[in-house]
Amino acid sequence: MLFSTKAEYGVRLMVELGRRAGTTAPEEAEPVALATVAEAELLPLSYLEHLVAKLRQADLVSSVRGAHGGYRLAKPAREIAMLDVVEALEGPVAPMECFHTEREGRVLCSHEVDGDRACATKLLWTRVHGGVTKALAGTSLAELVEFADAAAATAALPEPVA
Amino acid sequence: MLFSTKAEYGVRLMVELGRRAGTTAPEEAEPVALATVAEAELLPLSYLEHLVAKLRQADLVSSVRGAHGGYRLAKPAREIAMLDVVEALEGPVAPMECFHTEREGRVLCSHEVDGDRACATKLLWTRVHGGVTKALAGTSLAELVEFADAAAATAALPEPVA
DNA sequence: ACAAATCCTAGCTGTCCAGTCGGAAAACCG
DNA sequence: CGGTTTTCCGACTGGACAGCTAGGATTTGT
């Protein structure tokens, strides 16, 4: 398993916020209480609190405290890459424990003791890492929102007009 | 983290077998004792035994029992896709717990209760899964062996001829 | 017979996931 | 003001799994 339920729940949460905001600018959308999304997605509220905290620290959602408070997207859905969402929830995405991406794009593996003896596996994990990050970075929250809306629309019409 | 040390150690083991076989056909290569690769790669022998058992069940290596026994590749390195190696060690590769690939290429998510209500996240995990499997399936063991040999060769020449 | 190796099963220890709980602080509302 | 609704924060727990280790049975060269 690549990701835990943290990513699953967190992404669902973000999609829910995106759907409720609709086309209105995120700044002006009404904040959505966590209890609302918990009920809609059948997720435990107390657990969601931990996840949304991470999303807030990553500046992906903003919060409004007090009664009638809640959360909303910090940016328009189209500007939110799912890579950022997942990394906020799960930490830096890496295929292996020993795999770290340095700032300069260099890849380090804790198994290469010095610089000389390269892991044979480095080539493989680098490719996998590239595949994952490419998929995550290339998908925006807006895409998922549209996907969810489309699915909900077809579900509302049990018999398409044929 | 996508994979555990099972994949890391197992891949290293396969690369080691591939390197020692060299260009000789796998059938005729001398079997390599597990203790040898454990020493070469600084990995715990008793743990490797578990991993190699899985590789054998997946017909990726073949074993020779008794004194002077050991393991060798069951097929030429070029015909071994790393996807098979990793799946033998880690089980079916999936980004999420709720993500299963059915035989017919259909993708199921345990969260879509019926057929109608599709996970919003399905699109995302499908893309990630595609990225990972593409990277793994597109890399053969032979590539990693060549990579390791090349790295070892340059390490043996501290000063390239400049 | 002995030694070298693969094989098989069992267990053990730590870490982390998933989730709960209790309570603080902030903001709206009457 | 006081109560209600919400976000916020930390501690705790039960279970699962990763990462080994141990011990022995089995097979096979010498």
Side-chain angles (χ1 to χ4, degrees):
Chain A
M1 257 73 61
L2 177 35
F3 299 123
S4 64
T5 61
K6 284 203 261 283
E8 174 72 23
Y9 295 176
V11 170
R12 300 257 282 278
L13 168 61
M14 292 294 284
V15 171
E16 201 72 18
L17 292 185
R19 293 189 66 185
R20 305 203 178 241
T23 63
T24 66
E27 294 281 323
E28 297 159 14
E30 278 202 353
V32 180
L34 254 198
T36 307
V37 306
E39 194 179 3
E41 295 282 341
L42 300 174
L43 300 177
L45 169 61
S46 43
Y47 191 40
L48 274 188
E49 290 182 3
H50 293 295
L51 305 183
V52 80
K54 297 185 179 186
L55 293 172
R56 196 174 51 86
Q57 285 165 25
D59 274 318
L60 293 167
V61 304
S62 64
S63 65
V64 178
R65 303 184 64 162
H68 272 97
Y71 297 90
R72 57 184 157 217
L73 300 181
K75 294 180 283 190
R78 200 156 301 275
E79 298 175 14
I80 297 181
M82 296 315 294
L83 177 61
D84 296 327
V85 174
V86 170
E87 285 201 327
L89 294 161
E90 300 267 357
V93 41
M96 295 289 312
E97 183 74 45
C98 77
F99 189 96
H100 309 289
T101 52
E102 288 273 311
R103 271 155 259 323
E104 308 294 317
R106 268 193 43 77
V107 173
L108 289 189
C109 170
S110 48
H111 280 288
E112 28 185 355
V113 194
D114 291 326
D116 49 305
R117 190 165 178 279
C119 283
T121 59
K122 187 161 95 171
L123 175 61
L124 183 62
W125 304 139
T126 302
R127 289 188 183 177
V128 171
H129 178 260
V132 173
T133 53
K134 193 173 166 187
L136 287 174
T139 306
S140 74
L141 178 59
E143 281 186 81
L144 297 189
V145 170
E146 289 161 14
F147 185 80
D149 280 339
T154 62
L157 303 174
E159 304 280 328
V161 205
Chain B
M1 255 74 59
L2 176 36
F3 300 123
S4 65
T5 61
K6 285 204 259 284
E8 174 71 24
Y9 295 177
V11 170
R12 300 258 282 279
L13 167 62
M14 293 293 284
V15 171
E16 201 71 20
L17 293 185
R19 293 190 67 186
R20 302 199 180 247
T23 63
T24 67
E27 294 281 324
E28 297 158 13
E30 277 202 354
V32 180
L34 211 51
T36 307
V37 306
E39 194 179 3
E41 295 281 342
L42 299 174
L43 300 177
L45 169 60
S46 44
Y47 191 40
L48 275 187
E49 290 182 5
H50 294 293
L51 305 183
V52 80
K54 297 185 179 185
L55 293 172
R56 196 174 51 86
Q57 286 166 23
D59 274 319
L60 293 168
V61 305
S62 64
S63 65
V64 179
R65 302 185 63 161
H68 271 98
Y71 298 90
R72 57 185 156 217
L73 300 181
K75 295 182 281 189
R78 200 156 302 274
E79 299 175 15
I80 297 180
M82 297 315 294
L83 177 61
D84 296 327
V85 175
V86 169
E87 285 201 327
L89 294 161
E90 301 268 358
V93 42
M96 294 289 311
E97 184 73 46
C98 77
F99 188 96
H100 308 290
T101 52
E102 288 273 311
R103 269 155 259 322
E104 309 293 318
R106 268 193 44 76
V107 173
L108 289 189
C109 171
S110 48
H111 281 288
E112 28 184 356
V113 193
D114 291 326
D116 49 304
R117 190 164 179 279
C119 283
T121 59
K122 188 161 96 172
L123 175 62
L124 183 62
W125 304 140
T126 302
R127 288 187 184 177
V128 171
H129 178 260
V132 173
T133 53
K134 192 173 168 188
L136 286 175
T139 306
S140 73
L141 179 59
E143 282 186 81
L144 297 189
V145 170
E146 290 161 15
F147 185 80
D149 280 340
T154 61
L157 305 174
E159 304 281 327
V161 206

